[in-house]
Amino acid sequence: MPPESSLRRPRRAATAARSCASVAWAALAGAALSCAALACAPAPAVAPSQAPAPLRSLRIADVDLDGEPRTVSSAEAILDLDDARYAFEHAYAGLDGRPPAPSPLALARAEAALRGRAAWRPGELARLLRDVFAAPDGHLAFGHGGRAPLRLTAAPAAAPALAPAAPAACAGRGADARTEAPPRPLDPPRRPGPPVELTQSRDGVPVLAIRTFSAAAAPALAALPALAAELRRAPAFVVDLRGNAGGNYLFAERFALALTDAPLCALDEREVISVAAAEGRANSARRRLARGDVPPEARPRFVEHLAALERVAGALRGRAADRAAAAPRVDLTTRGAVVRGRATGPLEGRAVFLVDRGCASACEMLLALVRQIPGVLVVGQNTRGGMSVGELALFRLPRSGVTLSLGTRAYRDPLGDFVELRGFEPDVRLDGADVVEGAAALALRGAPSGARRRGARTSCAPR
């Protein structure tokens, strides 16, 4: 979910790069977060008895960012359940058409289950919460830190649900535009090698491997637009995205726009603006810094990103205190936007994008753009299916130490071909030990007879 902002009004033309701790967020905070800037109507006056409850603080104390969880009583577990509900209601973008939190009936049943036992161990509570809040969302996860960390994916189709704990990162467009998708047991292993590597197939076809979009690899990823400008003139080339779990979408978008001069449909977005969302994103960034997951060259960017998020959280909290009827969250939606390619002309040759189940998050967002470019073919296997909800926020329930990782920004493929948990289907399926050579052959000779672009549309047409 990676800073240059997303706080903006719906637009018709391309906007500048955005991020979870974006320039627009900082500008909004500096402008006292006026309702006009949030594109919302002035809140009506309400009687004191109708005023919303004070906003809770979901900021994780530094000492607890990776603290040990603890066994809690049923009463404490019920209070943590309510804090989880609050986090979902105030921060979770969720999938289009689904409410952000479970129904009151589902929560009442969960509370009854919690009352049925005197004590709840952290892993047991995390599993119960996972079951209550489960959604077909490839990023949503529960677990805890400590000496024996646990991460449970919330997607119903993920089985077994237990996966190794993985570092969380801000999903946006600054620190890490979308957090890398958490691994699942059946995912292919991430491929070793440098973040960006240009080689050739046996037939001399250029092969560009992009193994990550993480901001930690920023020096290598900054070269992608120049590489795209070079590759787009070749008669054929391959972009190998296998195992790319995502990161900062800004790098992916710049690469795509450097391949063509054509207008492309941008992904539709819906961003949650709230104290909880800003605090949760800041929690993610602070834990990543505390764990030492950020290389020294990227640390100043993360620190700046974190400071911007905390300023936004403070400004939003102040605004809520000044206005008794202030909305606890605003969902800012951008649809129908168009971004124009930055190349000097159309893609001249044939480009084959090679993908597998390891391509997720920002990697899938890249495919949502390049699939619109004439001359692009997607081959390999289905992608991961972890793109619809990103820009991750981290929360730690204060009594048990159980953690929630949820997305605060929702995305939708402009062509309508992406399905969460299923991913993108390739135009041509490729399996076997030498798929790179198979992709290079397709780049040289084209798709086999009868193969056609999968999906509802193949171009950015008015909707």
Side-chain angles (χ1 to χ4, degrees):
M1 252 26 301
E4 274 104 349
S5 173
S6 79
L7 248 197
R8 59 197 179 286
R9 295 176 182 271
R11 71 252 194 274
R12 297 179 182 274
T15 60
R18 301 149 298 217
S19 80
C20 54
S22 62
V23 174
W25 273 69
L28 184 62
L33 302 168
S34 69
C35 197
L38 283 174
C40 61
V46 295
S49 61
Q50 297 174 305
L55 297 178
R56 305 179 192 180
S57 174
L58 299 180
R59 187 183 191 278
I60 303 174
D62 290 346
V63 295
D64 290 332
L65 285 170
D66 246 332
E68 287 292 326
R70 58 182 290 267
T71 298
V72 294
S73 67
S74 61
E76 291 173 312
I78 290 170
L79 291 173
D80 271 0
L81 170 67
D82 189 60
D83 278 338
R85 173 203 59 78
Y86 182 92
F88 272 77
E89 288 184 351
H90 286 246
Y92 183 44
L95 300 166
D96 285 343
R98 295 174 64 102
S103 68
L105 178 59
L107 291 168
R109 288 172 175 167
E111 181 175 338
L114 292 173
R115 291 187 189 281
R117 290 174 48 180
W120 287 84
R121 290 180 292 186
E124 296 169 334
L125 181 57
R127 286 177 173 83
L128 182 141
L129 294 174
R130 185 271 315 275
D131 293 343
V132 171
F133 292 90
D137 175 352
H139 281 88
L140 182 60
F142 294 78
H144 58 71
R147 291 186 297 273
L150 174 72
R151 188 179 188 99
L152 301 168
T153 59
L162 178 59
C170 172
R173 306 195 185 193
D176 260 338
R178 283 187 55 100
T179 262
E180 292 189 3
R184 294 200 293 235
L186 300 180
D187 286 347
R190 298 187 183 182
R191 298 186 304 123
V196 177
E197 185 176 25
L198 182 61
T199 59
Q200 287 189 345
S201 72
R202 289 192 293 267
D203 292 332
V205 175
V207 178
L208 177 65
I210 308 176
R211 297 185 173 93
T212 183
F213 288 115
S214 172
L221 296 171
L224 287 178
L227 288 169
E230 178 183 344
L231 289 172
R232 59 178 297 276
R233 298 185 182 91
F237 64 92
V238 174
V239 179
D240 185 356
L241 296 172
R242 291 174 300 156
N244 186 325
N248 189 331
Y249 173 57
L250 176 60
F251 296 116
E253 184 179 59
R254 286 176 174 170
F255 177 70
L257 296 182
L259 290 172
T260 182
D261 64 345
L264 306 176
C265 289
L267 284 85
D268 293 342
E269 299 183 16
R270 179 170 45 80
E271 181 182 13
V272 177
I273 310 300
S274 69
V275 173
E279 287 183 340
R281 293 170 184 169
N283 290 337
S284 291
R286 288 191 298 115
R287 185 171 73 165
R288 190 165 184 186
L289 286 165
R291 284 180 166 184
D293 296 329
V294 182
E297 60 272 19
R299 189 174 180 85
R301 182 173 188 168
F302 273 80
V303 171
E304 179 183 1
H305 159 68
L306 173 59
L309 281 172
E310 292 185 332
R311 286 195 300 271
V312 167
L316 285 167
R317 186 176 291 281
R319 176 176 177 268
D322 290 342
R323 300 180 58 199
R329 70 179 267 176
V330 173
D331 283 37
L332 190 64
T333 300
T334 302
R335 289 181 179 164
V338 174
V339 290
R340 179 166 287 279
R342 298 169 185 166
T344 57
L347 181 68
E348 297 179 12
R350 184 181 293 110
V352 168
F353 283 70
L354 176 60
V355 298
D356 65 1
R357 292 292 295 178
C359 173
S361 202
C363 180
E364 292 173 308
M365 295 170 79
L366 170 64
L367 291 180
L369 288 182
V370 300
R371 292 174 74 252
Q372 303 174 46
I373 301 174
V376 166
L377 194 67
V378 178
V379 308
Q381 305 167 5
N382 277 42
T383 61
R384 163 72 177 275
M387 182 188 82
S388 295
V389 190
E391 191 147 358
L392 296 187
L394 173 71
F395 302 103
R396 186 178 191 269
L397 302 179
R399 299 154 195 90
S400 63
V402 168
T403 57
L404 327 173
S405 182
L406 54 85
T408 61
R409 194 195 303 252
Y411 298 87
R412 187 165 56 185
D413 169 35
L415 300 188
D417 301 334
F418 178 85
V419 177
E420 187 77 358
L421 303 185
R422 185 209 70 183
F424 282 110
E425 294 186 79
D427 302 319
V428 178
R429 292 200 174 273
L430 280 182
D431 294 295
D434 211 358
V435 291
V436 172
E437 292 300 326
L442 286 170
L444 283 174
R445 294 184 281 277
S449 177
R452 62 182 182 86
R453 165 61 48 83
R454 296 177 182 267
R457 294 197 304 278
T458 58
S459 65
C460 181
R463 288 178 284 173

